[in-house]
Amino acid sequence: MGKGESLSHSVLRSILLSYSYVAIWIFLSFSVIVYNKYILDKKMYNWPFPISLTIIHMSFCSTLAFFLIKVFRFVEPVSMSRDLYLSSVVPIGALYSLSLWLSNSAYIYLSVSFIQMLKALMPVAVYSLGVLFKKEAFKTDTMANMLSISLGVAIAAYGEARFDTWGVVLQLGAVAFEATRLVMIQILLTSKGITLNPITSLYYVAPCCLVFLLVPWIYVEFPVLKETSEFHLDFLIFGTNSLCAFALNLSVFLLVGKTSALTMNVAGVVKDWLLIAFSWSVIKDTVTPINLFGYGLAFLGVAYYNHSKLQALKAREAQKTTGQADDEAAKFLKDTQGEVTGTKTGSQN
C-alpha cells in the first residue's frame, strides 16, 4: 500500500514538473514575441531597428553564457577544435543571424497572429530540406501532409486583413534560414557526435552571430541611428527584453532536457493559439474567419506531423528494447551453453 502510494506520488510529481516546464517555456516564448513586437512596431514603442535589437540580444546572451560556463560552471563546455568551429559553428551562426534578423524585421510589417500562422510552415521547410540533403526519407503521405499545411497557410494569407508582401517575404526568409540551420546542425554537428544544449549553443554560436550581424548593421542601421540620435537606450526596456530572451533559452534547456523536443513542438502549437487569441483580443489585430480556417487546416497538418513523429519515436524505442532483450537472451543462452559444455568436459575427465 505504502509502496503504491509512493509510486503514485512520484508519477504525479513528474507530471506536475513536466507541465511546469511547458508552462514556463510557453510564458517566456510568449513574452519575448510580444515584447519584440512592442519594441519594433511603429504604433507602439516605435524603435524599428531589428538588427540592433538582435545585436543587443546576442551581446547579452553571449556575456551570460560565458559567465555560466566559464565562471559558475553551470554546464561543461563542449570540446571544440578550431577547424570544427570554422567548418560547423560559423555556417550555423551565419544562418542563425539571418533568421533572427529577418524574423524580427517581420514584426514591423505583420501582425503577431499572422506571423504565427506563417511559422506553421517550419515543418514543411525542415522536412523538404531533410529530403533534399538525404537526412529524411521521402514518404508520399508525409509530403501530402506538408502540402496540406502549405495550403492552410496560403488560405490564412489570403484572408489576412493587413497583408504586407515585404513582411511575408521577410518571414518566409526567416523560416527558410531557420530550417536550413536546423538541418545543418544535424549534418555538421550531430553527425559528428556533438550536441549543443541552449547554453553551450549560445556560448559558441552567439559571438559568431554577433559578428555576422555587425556587417549589415554598419551599412543599414548605423547611419540612421547616428542621424536620429537613437543610441540613447532605455536600459529597463532593453535589459528586461534581453533577460527574457536569455531566460527563454534556459527554459528550452529545461524543457527538452526534462521532457523531449517533441513536447516542445506540441507546446509550440498551444503557444501559437494563445498568441493569436492575445493578438486579436489585446493588441486588437484583425483576425478574419478565413485566417482561422486556413490556420486551423495548417494546425491539423502540424498536429498529425507531431503525432507521426511520436509514433515513430515509440516504434524506435520498442525496437531498441526488443533488441536489448534479444541480446540479453542470446548472451544468457551462450553462457548456459558454456556451463553445460564445461560440465560435460569435467565429467569426461
Side-chain angles (χ1 to χ4, degrees):
M1 182 81 175
K3 187 177 179 181
E5 286 180 0
S6 176
L7 183 62
S8 63
H9 282 307
S10 177
V11 171
L12 181 62
R13 183 173 178 273
S14 178
I15 292 171
L16 288 174
L17 279 174
S18 295
Y19 277 112
S20 298
Y21 296 136
V22 169
I24 291 168
W25 178 80
I26 288 177
F27 172 75
L28 288 169
S29 182
F30 184 100
S31 300
V32 169
I33 289 170
V34 173
Y35 213 157
N36 286 352
K37 173 67 175 177
Y38 168 75
I39 291 171
L40 294 166
D41 197 292
K42 295 175 182 178
K43 295 179 181 177
M44 299 181 189
Y45 189 77
N46 190 25
W47 199 75
F49 302 102
I51 307 176
S52 302
L53 182 63
T54 312
I55 284 175
I56 292 169
H57 286 173
M58 290 297 102
S59 301
F60 187 87
C61 290
S62 298
T63 304
L64 279 188
F66 175 83
F67 277 101
L68 284 174
I69 290 176
K70 289 296 186 179
V71 178
F72 299 110
R73 307 286 180 182
F74 187 74
V75 292
E76 288 296 320
V78 177
S79 178
M80 183 81 63
S81 66
R82 182 173 176 273
D83 289 340
L84 181 62
Y85 186 85
L86 292 174
S87 63
S88 300
V89 176
V90 169
I92 290 168
L95 290 166
Y96 193 36
S97 64
L98 288 167
S99 172
L100 291 172
W101 172 16
L102 297 184
S103 62
N104 281 335
S105 299
Y107 285 109
I108 299 172
Y109 304 96
L110 302 175
S111 66
V112 170
S113 57
F114 187 44
I115 285 175
Q116 300 315 120
M117 294 175 189
L118 291 174
K119 284 181 180 179
L121 288 170
M122 184 62 73
V124 179
V126 172
Y127 178 74
S128 300
L129 287 169
V131 171
L132 182 65
F133 287 104
K134 298 182 179 178
K135 286 294 175 181
E136 292 271 2
F138 177 83
K139 295 179 181 178
T140 306
D141 56 340
T142 305
M143 186 54 73
N145 185 36
M146 296 298 108
L147 290 174
S148 72
I149 295 172
S150 302
L151 176 63
V153 173
I155 292 171
Y158 176 77
E160 175 59 21
R162 286 182 52 202
F163 187 90
D164 186 283
T165 304
W166 180 237
V168 171
V169 169
L170 289 170
Q171 185 55 47
L172 292 181
V175 168
F177 283 121
E178 178 63 11
T180 308
R181 183 182 75 90
L182 294 174
V183 174
M184 286 297 106
I185 287 174
Q186 189 178 0
I187 294 171
L188 298 175
L189 292 177
T190 309
S191 60
K192 297 174 183 177
I194 296 173
T195 304
L196 298 178
N197 62 53
I199 300 174
T200 52
S201 178
L202 285 175
Y203 177 74
Y204 290 109
V205 177
C208 175
C209 184
L210 183 61
V211 172
F212 278 109
L213 286 167
L214 285 173
V215 177
W217 180 77
I218 290 169
Y219 293 100
V220 177
E221 292 186 2
F222 174 70
V224 181
L225 284 164
K226 189 177 179 181
E227 186 178 323
T228 56
S229 300
E230 291 284 355
F231 281 113
H232 303 291
L233 301 178
D234 186 329
F235 286 100
L236 179 63
I237 292 288
F238 290 94
T240 52
N241 177 247
S242 299
L243 189 61
C244 284
F246 186 78
L248 176 60
N249 281 279
L250 288 181
S251 71
V252 172
F253 176 66
L254 279 174
L255 182 60
V256 176
K258 301 297 182 181
T259 56
S260 68
L262 189 63
T263 301
M264 191 174 77
N265 288 341
V266 175
V269 174
V270 177
K271 178 205 69 179
D272 290 344
W273 279 111
L274 288 173
L275 278 166
I276 290 170
F278 180 85
S279 176
W280 171 73
S281 61
V282 179
I283 304 178
K284 303 301 180 183
D285 286 331
T286 303
V287 180
T288 67
I290 298 176
N291 273 148
L292 293 176
F293 174 75
Y295 183 68
L297 182 61
F299 161 75
L300 291 175
V302 172
Y304 178 75
Y305 178 74
N306 287 331
H307 174 73
S308 301
K309 284 284 186 183
L310 179 61
Q311 294 304 313
L313 183 63
K314 286 181 177 178
R316 281 199 298 270
E317 288 295 326
Q319 190 175 13
K320 185 178 177 181
T321 304
T322 304
Q324 287 175 346
D326 290 343
D327 289 342
E328 289 175 4
K331 184 180 178 182
F332 175 77
L333 184 61
K334 184 179 179 181
D335 291 343
T336 305
Q337 287 175 339
E339 288 174 7
V340 171
T341 305
T343 304
K344 287 182 178 178
T345 304
S347 300
Q348 288 171 355
N349 289 338

